[in-house]
Amino acid sequence: MINFSKKLSAPLTKRQIEVLQINLGKRCNLACHHCHVEAGPKRTEELSSEVCQQLIDLIYQFPQIKIVDLTGGAPEMNYGFKPLVAAARETGKQVIVRSNLTIYFVDGFGDLPEYCADNQLKIVASLPCYLQDNVDKMRGKGVYDASIKALQWLNELGYGRNPNLILDLVYNPPVPNSENFSLTPSQDKLETDYKMFLQEHFDVCFNSLLTITNLPIGRTKLHLEKQQLHTPYLNFLESNFNPSTIANLMCRNELSIDYLGNVYDCDFNQMENLPAKTPDGETVTVAKLLKAGTLDLITQVQTANYCYGCTAGSGSSCGGALVDS
């Protein structure tokens, strides 16, 4: 295998930072098989009050931030969710919450759909297939039914219909069990299939479908290693490397921040503990960004071979495909 960095014609450089993606912690009501965060009900790691305040200061201090993207775990379960939403909304930034939908039916979280609508949060919701069997196999028994009820609830509040209430769904392919690998399907075609099926069977509507490749990290990596598929899967991704995806990679204009306040180029590097670095080789924290008075301390993105997952075929990012298929 050719090292990913050698595949590039030039080093992968940062652009001006416009997206702040914050992983609030690993607490989650689900423990999905494909979760690269390895979140679950038994995890307790979450944002501290100190780091939360630093992030609020960051949001207020830098108007160049256009999007505050909240993830987890279930971000809604972890400390700091509502204070960060309030800070982002007060400063006119778009807020994305990456939801598993089933959190709405957990005691203490039933106010979330109305809260999201009142604050015009963009909801990006995991629904890795429009068929029940595939979803429940990947995310747990009963998750599909709960997800459909949640989507119907959000539709009643105007999500997917009101232009200020955006509801996107996320497709993840099944984790491979053999060397019969395949690329993520065409995003546009799959979106049409999703919309037709969900409308016909459940009267559910949504805005866009985002297709995301399973990167070989976290639980996916553990599964692949157990099946002796990790290296073959990486080779498959490398063989489908598409240089036209490079210009649109999400790592280039975002900072990924963990619950401890450490800074990474992307959520995947965060989970693999590959920190962002300054040109002097120093790691970066939220406290350092505040002290420096700039978000743009990092000039070059840290890469690894799992980056082939974001650059194979049509590409993959937290915003879906990177180029037309």
Side-chain angles (χ1 to χ4, degrees):
M1 165 175 285
I2 299 173
N3 188 287
F4 181 80
S5 62
K6 298 277 197 298
K7 202 86 164 183
L8 304 176
S9 58
L12 194 58
T13 54
K14 281 284 197 188
R15 301 191 180 109
Q16 185 181 61
I17 299 302
E18 297 180 343
V19 181
L20 206 61
Q21 186 175 73
I22 305 168
N23 189 302
L24 298 180
K26 297 182 183 289
R27 295 177 62 209
C28 189
N29 59 308
L30 300 178
C32 301
H33 294 314
H34 66 294
C35 181
H36 68 280
V37 181
E38 300 183 67
K42 295 181 180 179
R43 303 301 293 262
T44 58
E45 305 96 318
E46 64 178 343
L47 202 67
S48 67
S49 57
E50 178 186 8
V51 174
C52 182
Q53 186 57 54
Q54 290 175 350
L55 287 165
I56 290 171
D57 293 344
L58 206 68
I59 289 167
Y60 275 98
Q61 187 168 329
F62 296 104
Q64 73 190 69
I65 300 170
K66 292 184 170 61
I67 298 171
V68 175
D69 186 342
L70 302 177
T71 185
E76 307 98 325
M77 288 186 78
N78 290 273
Y79 180 84
F81 174 69
K82 289 186 177 180
L84 288 168
V85 167
R89 293 298 295 151
E90 285 174 16
T91 51
K93 305 179 195 311
Q94 181 185 53
V95 182
I96 297 174
V97 54
R98 295 189 181 272
S99 182
N100 65 32
L101 297 174
T102 64
I103 185 66
Y104 302 161
F105 305 106
V106 175
D107 287 346
F109 297 98
D111 68 321
L112 281 171
E114 285 80 6
Y115 173 81
C116 291
D118 290 344
N119 288 278
Q120 297 185 354
L121 307 189
K122 178 178 178 178
I123 296 175
V124 177
S126 177
L127 192 73
C129 185
Y130 54 79
L131 299 175
Q132 179 174 0
D133 187 52
N134 290 352
V135 172
D136 285 357
K137 280 181 180 177
M138 195 178 298
R139 303 186 62 210
K141 187 176 181 181
V143 168
Y144 183 82
D145 286 342
S147 298
I148 294 298
K149 289 177 183 176
L151 291 172
Q152 291 170 333
W153 188 352
L154 291 171
N155 282 170
E156 288 172 9
L157 294 170
Y159 271 98
R161 297 187 173 97
N162 183 328
N164 295 316
L165 299 176
I166 303 299
L167 173 61
D168 291 344
L169 300 184
V170 175
Y171 165 86
N172 284 92
V175 179
N177 286 308
S178 72
E179 291 194 28
N180 186 26
F181 305 123
S182 60
L183 294 173
T184 303
S186 163
Q187 184 168 276
D188 290 343
K189 182 181 183 306
L190 195 57
E191 179 182 298
T192 299
D193 294 342
Y194 262 72
K195 285 185 171 179
M196 288 179 60
F197 186 90
L198 294 176
Q199 181 69 50
E200 180 181 346
H201 290 83
F202 305 108
D203 196 28
V204 161
C205 65
F206 64 95
N207 293 95
S208 300
L209 181 72
L210 313 178
T211 56
I212 297 182
T213 300
N214 288 323
L215 265 69
I217 60 177
R219 290 191 184 123
T220 298
K221 180 180 178 181
L222 292 173
H223 170 84
L224 291 169
E225 287 177 339
K226 187 177 180 181
Q227 301 292 324
Q228 297 184 316
L229 293 171
H230 180 248
T231 298
Y233 184 59
L234 272 176
N235 288 332
F236 168 77
L237 294 174
E238 182 201 0
S239 69
N240 286 280
F241 173 73
N242 181 355
S244 66
T245 61
I246 300 297
N248 300 322
L249 287 171
M250 63 182 181
C251 55
R252 303 192 69 177
N253 72 334
E254 80 164 26
L255 297 178
S256 172
I257 298 171
D258 70 10
Y259 60 90
L260 297 171
N262 299 309
V263 177
Y264 304 81
D265 292 307
C266 71
D267 190 49
F268 305 121
N269 280 359
Q270 181 183 145
M271 296 312 141
E272 287 293 293
N273 196 28
L274 183 62
K277 293 185 178 180
T278 67
D280 295 332
E282 293 183 7
T283 58
V284 183
T285 64
V286 177
K288 283 185 181 179
L289 294 173
L290 289 168
K291 185 177 180 180
T294 178
L295 292 179
D296 299 302
L297 289 178
I298 305 154
T299 58
Q300 191 168 316
V301 175
Q302 301 298 308
T303 61
N305 285 342
Y306 51 75
C307 298
Y308 283 121
C310 291
T311 55
S314 298
S316 176
S317 75
C318 289
L322 298 175
V323 295
D324 293 333
S325 56

